[in-house]
Amino acid sequence: MTRLRLATFNLENLDDRPGAGDFADRVRVLAPQLQRLRADVLCLQEINAHALTKHGPREVSALDRLVAGSDYEHRHRVVSLSRGGVRPADRHNLVVLSRLPVLEHSQVWHDLVPPPSYRPVTAQPRPDLPEAVEWDRPILHVVLDAGGGQRLHVVNVHLRAPRAAWLPGQKDGHGRWNSIGGWAEGFFLADIKRAGQALEARLLVERILDSEPDALIAVLGDFNAGDHEAPVRTIRGDEDDTGNGHLGPRVLVPVERSIPESQRFSVIHRGRRILLDHILVSRLLLGSFRAAELHNETLGDELISPALVWASPESYHAPLVAEFSLRPSR
């Protein structure tokens, strides 16, 4: 049997550009957290990139500096790309660092779900025609060689946060909404984006299972939604929702349910402990599951702490880890 540890961690705007805070402090705080994970496969969210020279390529230099000298420095690496598909985006890239060899990788961004069309009603001026509502970032799909003839499908996601999307003429220069109606429509658009990303992730899982019915699949990352909210339910596909027991083998299972409920949180929001980061696995991978961990001992409140602490080096997400004992395929 082979021990395998999968982990997800939203590093929250990891950036080493001037003005992004004292990056050395971030390294001193975050590097030990990464080492503690002892992850064979590490999925990261919110990794920023920039060009080191005026005409140079855009690089994830902050990540390079964070993992320098660690077990993660020389791992196989896959980084998501901007809509042009040529280089990483300025903000919020997805990254997979893997000890296992990479067999294939791709990103999914409106490849399975076209952007819905919508004509805003509160925008000023209101557009004459419907506009495409596009997701903010892709889904990163990496296929790894898990040994013993097995392929491990890792799907790294960062769904849209439930914060109102921008609308023309509805926010002033201080970032305040000019009307509740405008905010409500922006909130509605954000929900469309989050739900659409979740649907695309589920359809990706369907495509994998169609070609590999017994696939080892892990969908993990920042879902910006709790276990019983629509985005997580969409990706899980529980029998209670489909009403069809024959679809049971295609259900994804949240491994964090094995953690005591009192400790099952990855974010503290206005004093409320919530689980926004998840690891959902296919039935076959669940058979190799051993334990899950949430490293949430140092979490601050994501709303209150930034107002009290200047330039905090912390992430206000806790990493989530799942350990498996993989058996060679028959």
Side-chain angles (χ1 to χ4, degrees):
M1 289 191 294
T2 302
R3 191 197 74 164
L4 176 71
R5 286 174 66 87
L6 302 180
T8 178
F9 194 5
N10 183 333
L11 293 179
E12 288 203 299
N13 284 312
L14 186 72
D15 204 324
D16 62 350
R17 278 176 280 203
D22 191 325
F23 189 73
D25 286 345
R26 294 216 75 188
V27 172
R28 292 189 188 98
V29 168
L30 295 175
Q33 287 185 278
L34 295 184
Q35 284 301 110
R36 180 186 175 191
L37 298 176
R38 305 188 313 280
D40 299 294
V41 181
L42 176 57
C43 291
L44 301 172
Q45 301 87 40
E46 294 199 23
I47 307 299
N48 296 349
H50 65 99
L52 301 181
T53 61
K54 186 174 182 180
H55 300 292
R58 196 175 292 162
E59 301 177 7
V60 287
S61 58
L63 180 61
D64 291 335
R65 293 172 62 184
L66 176 61
V67 301
S70 76
D71 295 339
Y72 301 104
E73 182 176 9
H74 301 296
R75 294 285 178 87
H76 302 286
R77 178 187 295 185
V78 181
V79 183
S80 65
L81 304 174
S82 65
R83 286 290 279 156
V86 175
R87 57 184 186 173
D90 283 336
R91 300 181 68 249
H92 292 190
N93 294 289
L94 303 167
V95 176
V96 174
L97 300 176
S98 174
R99 178 183 58 80
L100 307 181
V102 176
L103 299 175
E104 307 167 22
H105 66 86
S106 61
Q107 66 180 36
V108 179
W109 201 348
H110 293 299
D111 296 277
L112 303 177
V113 179
S117 296
Y118 178 75
R119 185 183 174 210
V121 297
T122 65
Q124 299 175 359
R126 189 184 185 195
D128 296 327
L129 298 172
E131 301 173 337
V133 181
E134 296 187 343
W135 323 151
D136 299 320
R137 49 194 155 257
I139 296 163
L140 191 58
H141 176 208
V142 181
V143 185
L144 302 172
D145 182 354
Q150 298 184 103
R151 290 156 52 91
L152 173 63
H153 294 264
V154 173
V155 181
N156 187 359
V157 302
H158 183 192
L159 305 189
R160 167 82 190 206
R163 297 191 185 97
W166 180 82
L167 281 168
Q170 280 295 342
K171 294 186 81 171
D172 63 22
H174 300 285
R176 294 176 298 202
W177 288 91
N178 296 325
S179 71
I180 294 178
W183 166 83
E185 187 170 30
F187 195 65
F188 163 72
L189 289 171
D191 214 29
I192 290 177
K193 291 171 179 275
R194 186 175 60 156
Q197 282 181 283
L199 172 60
E200 193 151 48
R202 182 65 225 189
L203 294 182
L204 173 60
V205 171
E206 292 292 292
R207 188 167 68 176
I208 295 168
L209 290 172
D210 286 343
S211 59
E212 299 177 45
D214 293 323
L216 301 174
I217 304 172
V219 181
L220 63 168
D222 179 3
F223 289 61
N224 270 306
D227 185 20
H228 298 290
E229 292 185 74
V232 181
R233 287 174 58 190
T234 298
I235 298 173
R236 286 201 327 251
D238 282 357
E239 296 171 62
D240 290 347
D241 287 319
T242 65
N244 187 345
H246 291 298
L247 298 176
R250 301 174 80 96
V251 172
L252 298 185
V253 181
V255 297
E256 60 268 14
R257 287 179 177 174
S258 65
I259 298 173
E261 190 170 359
S262 62
Q263 299 302 314
R264 204 182 303 160
F265 63 95
S266 62
V267 170
I268 301 174
H269 182 87
R270 198 175 293 166
R272 188 164 60 98
R273 297 178 172 188
I274 51 179
L275 186 65
L276 300 183
D277 303 83
H278 304 273
I279 299 179
L280 313 181
V281 302
S282 59
R283 295 285 192 171
L284 192 62
L285 186 54
L286 181 67
S288 301
F289 175 65
R290 293 185 62 185
E293 306 166 10
L294 270 162
H295 299 175
N296 51 22
E297 299 92 341
T298 64
L299 271 184
D301 192 301
E302 67 171 357
L303 285 185
I304 298 171
S305 296
L308 300 176
V309 181
W310 180 81
S312 172
E314 304 275 1
S315 168
Y316 292 109
H317 281 253
L320 172 63
V321 193
E323 185 168 319
F324 304 84
S325 293
L326 296 182
R327 304 174 186 272
S329 60
R330 296 175 182 175

